[in-house]
């Protein structure tokens, strides 16, 4: 199975030097990528593309804009009136240009560069499945009080989660929603803690709460199930244990049901609003939003994407939801002056471009108020793949590293967790680090139930174990310096405020 889409799909984070507002009245002149138009067609009957149209969040303005949408040849899929975001489909190649000129429209743009039926990308990395024979042998290594496969979960011990579970495993009144490829709630390690009432499929931008809609369409859509197990796999003498085995976990599917498993803006907007409206305390976001790895504000389509998603996540924050996101697997320095993005757009033909990560944004990770998480291995050192950057990374957490070998039965430096169809596998990525941080945030919310999202983020940083920059960093051991860490022990580009600590969160 291919994977690490989590940060293929992994999100990158950037400094919240932005004060992203619903109207995007920030970062003037941002960016520098050569914009792509949604389509080169000239006929009024082109391929159908989805759009986000962003306007003032009041009923009168939204209704007025709906009329303009119809006049420009668009069909409203759903209007999120509470945030002023309207999801639209249109076959008019000039729809974006026409609707941006309409009264009441603040930003508008296509959310992909290829028609609705097209998609495709490759994920990085690979899932290492745990065979039944290996699982049986591993279970013989379990100590008293451990789950059968816990001996291979070095990550639990690295952050004191095994000890924390004996003090406070987390409250059933706290839910972490996994915005991802779907969650297999029938897995015996997930079923005891799964919240169906807070789960849905948001693919396409409109929530489907049909029973089971949140489940992955097949075993290849395993990423969300792995993430869910890291957060809240039950301590039930079956398989593995989660960091917060007493909290609830929900699944909100946003990945397109095709080989590409792309996460488009309209689906993520739906997910944030759904989570907020259904009382979710924390969301985990181990992805970046397609089709652009970085969204530049001098491109009207990309600007509209940032605007729409930011409105949705700000709405969630105001409703009491903390969002946690993965930093990325490209070993990029997000506090540098330039990064080469050769993967965008990933729904059609990528066009290499050089961007300034202070002006072009990977979302949702770089949005204000979102907790950005880098990855560490068993040695508490930055994972060789993890993106970093001073002023960008909030905290670090175990995400695995094949070059950092633990003293466990399997000697596997990746993260062991649940997979669809009652399976287990090892994965690595900042996609795995983010749910560790989200789970510790859930433990903090269990300990401090009245804490706001901002207070939870502050607590998450305060309880982290400070980690100094290495004198020289050679993540893959080839003798070449792979990244430079900037900052002091209390705050730096590799680890932010430090590595999260589950035990301290409950003490």
């Amino acid at each position: 199975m291919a994977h690490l889409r989590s940060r293929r799909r992994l999100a990158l984070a950037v400094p919240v030097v932005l004060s992203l507002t619903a109207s995007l009245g920030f970062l003037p002149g941002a960016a520098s990528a050569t914009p792509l138009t949604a389509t080169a067609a000239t006929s009024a009957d082109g391929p159908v593309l989805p759009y986000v149209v962003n306007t003032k969040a009041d009923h009168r303005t939204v209704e007025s804009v709906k009329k303009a949408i119809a006049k420009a040849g668009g069909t409203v899929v759903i209007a999120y009136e509470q945030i002023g975001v309207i999801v639209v489909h249109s076959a008019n190649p000039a729809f974006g240009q026409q609707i941006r000129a309409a009264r009441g429209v603040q930003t508008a743009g296509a959310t992909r560069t290829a028609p609705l039926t097209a998609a495709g990308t490759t994920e990085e990395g690979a899932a290492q499945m745990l065979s039944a024979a290996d699982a049986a042998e591993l279970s013989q290594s379990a100590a008293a009080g451990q789950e059968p496969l816990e001996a291979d979960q070095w990550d639990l011990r690295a952050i004191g989660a095994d000890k924390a579970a004996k003090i406070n495993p987390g409250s059933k009144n706290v839910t972490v929603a996994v915005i991802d490829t779907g969650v297999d709630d029938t897995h015996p390690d997930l079923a005891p803690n799964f919240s169906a009432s807070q789960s849905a499929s948001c693919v396409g931008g409109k929530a489907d709460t049909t029973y089971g809609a949140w489940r992955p369409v097949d075993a290849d859509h395993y990423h969300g199930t792995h993430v869910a197990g890291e957060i809240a796999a039950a301590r039930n003498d079956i398989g593995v244990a989660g960091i917060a085995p007493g909290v609830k976990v929900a699944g909100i599917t946003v990945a397109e049901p095709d080989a590409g498993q792309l996460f488009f803006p309209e689906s993520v907007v739906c997910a944030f609003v759904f989570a907020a409206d259904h009382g979710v305390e924390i969301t985990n976001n181990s992805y970046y939003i397609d089709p652009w790895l970085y969204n530049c504000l001098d491109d009207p389509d990309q600007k509209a994407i940032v605007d729409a998603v930011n409105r949705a996540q700000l709405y969630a924050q105001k409703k009491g939801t903390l969002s946690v996101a993965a930093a990325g697997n490209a070993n990029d320095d997000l506090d540098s002056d330039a990064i080469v993005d050769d993967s965008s757009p990933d729904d059609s033909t990528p066009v290499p471009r050089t961007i300034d990560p202070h002006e072009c944004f990977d979302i949702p990770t770089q949005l204000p108020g979102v907790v950005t998480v880098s990855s560490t291995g068993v040695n508490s050192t930055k994972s060789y793949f993890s993106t970093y950057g001073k002023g960008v990374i909030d905290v670090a957490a175990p995400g695995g590293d094949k070059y950092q070998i633990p003293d466990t039965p399997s000697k596997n430096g990746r993260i062991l967790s649940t997979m669809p169809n009652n399976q287990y596998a090892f994965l690595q990525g900042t996609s795995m680090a983010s749910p560790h941080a989200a789970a510790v945030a859930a433990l903090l919310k269990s300990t401090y139930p009245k804490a706001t999202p901002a207070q939870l983020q502050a607590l998450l940083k305060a309880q982290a174990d400070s980690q100094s920059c290495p004198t020289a960093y050679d993540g893959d051991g080839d003798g070449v310096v792979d990244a430079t860490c900037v900052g002091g022990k209390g705050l730096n580009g590799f680890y932010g405020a430090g590595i999260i600590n589950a035990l301290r969160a409950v003490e």
Side-chain angles (χ1 to χ4, degrees):
M1 295 181 184
H3 183 298
L4 251 200
R5 180 220 184 79
S6 35
R7 217 8 250 198
R8 186 233 114 325
R9 224 65 321 284
L10 269 293
L12 306 110
V14 301
V16 178
V17 340
L18 336 155
S19 162
L20 298 183
T21 63
S23 63
L24 284 184
F26 56 99
L27 293 180
S32 64
T34 302
L36 266 72
T37 53
T39 175
T42 55
S43 141
D45 187 21
V48 175
L49 286 174
Y51 295 79
V52 282
V53 179
N54 305 312
T55 185
K56 188 177 178 181
D58 70 76
H59 178 71
R60 177 177 296 181
T61 304
V62 169
E63 289 302 311
S64 174
V65 170
K66 282 183 180 180
K67 293 177 182 177
I69 288 169
K71 186 176 181 180
T75 301
V76 173
V77 175
I78 187 169
Y80 291 102
E81 191 171 293
Q82 62 270 56
I83 58 173
V85 176
I86 307 172
V87 179
V88 178
H89 289 173
S90 179
N92 176 9
F95 177 80
Q97 182 179 359
Q98 292 176 11
I99 199 62
R100 281 191 287 269
R103 180 185 293 273
V105 173
Q106 295 171 331
T107 58
T111 62
R112 57 191 83 182
T113 66
L116 280 168
T117 55
T121 189
T122 23
E123 303 178 2
E124 22 171 328
Q128 297 186 335
M129 299 299 295
L130 189 67
S131 69
D134 287 343
E137 183 177 349
L138 177 58
S139 66
Q140 301 303 311
S141 302
Q146 285 190 329
E147 294 298 287
L149 306 181
E150 192 173 342
D152 253 351
Q153 291 188 273
W154 61 265
D155 52 309
L156 298 187
R157 296 180 287 281
I159 61 172
D162 53 336
K163 296 176 181 178
K166 296 175 182 178
I167 299 172
N168 182 357
S171 169
K172 296 295 183 186
N173 295 323
V174 175
T175 300
V176 182
V178 176
I179 299 176
D180 215 296
T181 61
V183 173
D184 181 3
D185 59 303
T186 68
H187 194 293
D189 265 338
L190 298 178
N193 291 334
F194 192 77
S195 176
S197 64
Q198 294 170 298
S199 300
S201 171
C202 269
V203 174
K206 188 175 183 178
D208 176 6
T209 56
T210 304
Y211 187 81
W214 54 79
R215 292 174 183 151
V217 296
D218 56 39
D220 286 336
H221 288 63
Y222 54 77
H223 188 261
T225 301
H226 195 278
V227 166
E230 293 172 55
I231 296 168
R235 285 189 170 273
N236 56 358
D237 296 322
I238 299 173
V240 297
I243 304 298
V247 305
K248 291 290 187 181
V249 66
I252 304 178
T253 304
V254 292
E256 292 282 320
D258 55 46
Q261 300 185 33
L262 299 183
F263 293 41
F264 288 110
E266 59 273 22
S267 301
V268 176
V269 167
C270 168
F272 279 128
V273 173
F274 181 88
D277 288 345
H278 287 77
V280 167
E281 284 77 18
I282 296 157
T283 68
N284 183 78
N285 303 270
S286 290
Y287 59 90
Y288 67 78
I289 291 176
D290 301 288
W292 306 97
L293 176 54
Y294 295 96
N295 292 268
C296 300
L297 301 187
D298 61 357
D299 180 292
D301 292 326
Q302 294 168 44
K303 180 178 182 179
I305 289 170
V306 176
D307 189 3
V309 177
N310 189 50
R311 290 171 183 233
Q313 73 87 19
L314 286 175
Y315 175 77
Q317 283 186 49
K318 291 175 183 176
K319 297 270 282 190
T321 305
L322 174 70
S323 293
V324 181
N329 294 338
N331 191 34
D332 281 339
D333 181 358
L334 293 177
D335 191 35
S336 64
D337 294 329
I339 290 176
V340 175
D341 172 17
D342 59 6
S343 65
S344 304
D346 60 9
D347 64 340
S348 54
T349 303
V351 177
R353 57 183 185 159
T354 299
I355 63 94
D356 181 344
H358 299 94
E359 297 181 335
C360 295
F361 309 104
D362 176 354
I363 56 173
T365 336
Q366 293 183 229
L367 298 175
V370 175
V371 176
T372 301
V373 187
S374 63
S375 175
T376 58
V378 69
N379 299 332
S380 297
T381 302
K382 184 184 90 72
S383 303
Y384 71 94
F385 51 77
S386 182
T387 287
Y388 59 99
K390 186 180 180 183
V392 176
I393 302 302
D394 291 307
V395 291
D401 186 327
K402 65 182 181 182
Y403 295 114
Q404 298 184 42
I405 310 302
D407 183 18
T408 56
S410 73
K411 301 295 190 292
N412 196 315
R414 297 169 176 83
I415 304 297
L416 180 63
S417 188
T418 50
M419 296 284 274
N421 302 325
N422 301 346
Q423 300 295 307
Y424 300 88
F426 292 92
L427 294 175
Q428 65 177 21
T430 53
S431 277
M432 283 64 253
S434 180
H436 281 67
V440 172
L443 292 177
L444 286 166
K445 183 68 173 178
S446 300
T447 305
Y448 305 99
K450 294 184 179 180
T452 66
Q455 290 170 334
L456 279 181
Q457 179 163 175
L459 287 166
L460 195 61
K461 293 178 180 179
Q463 58 75 55
D465 293 323
S466 298
Q467 184 82 348
S468 298
C469 286
T471 53
Y473 177 77
D474 176 15
D476 56 9
D478 64 357
V480 177
V481 173
D482 297 319
T484 300
C485 181
V486 176
K489 185 175 182 180
L491 183 65
N492 60 61
F494 276 15
Y495 312 106
I499 301 174
I500 51 138
N501 188 312
L503 180 58
R504 193 171 298 154
V506 300
E507 286 181 328

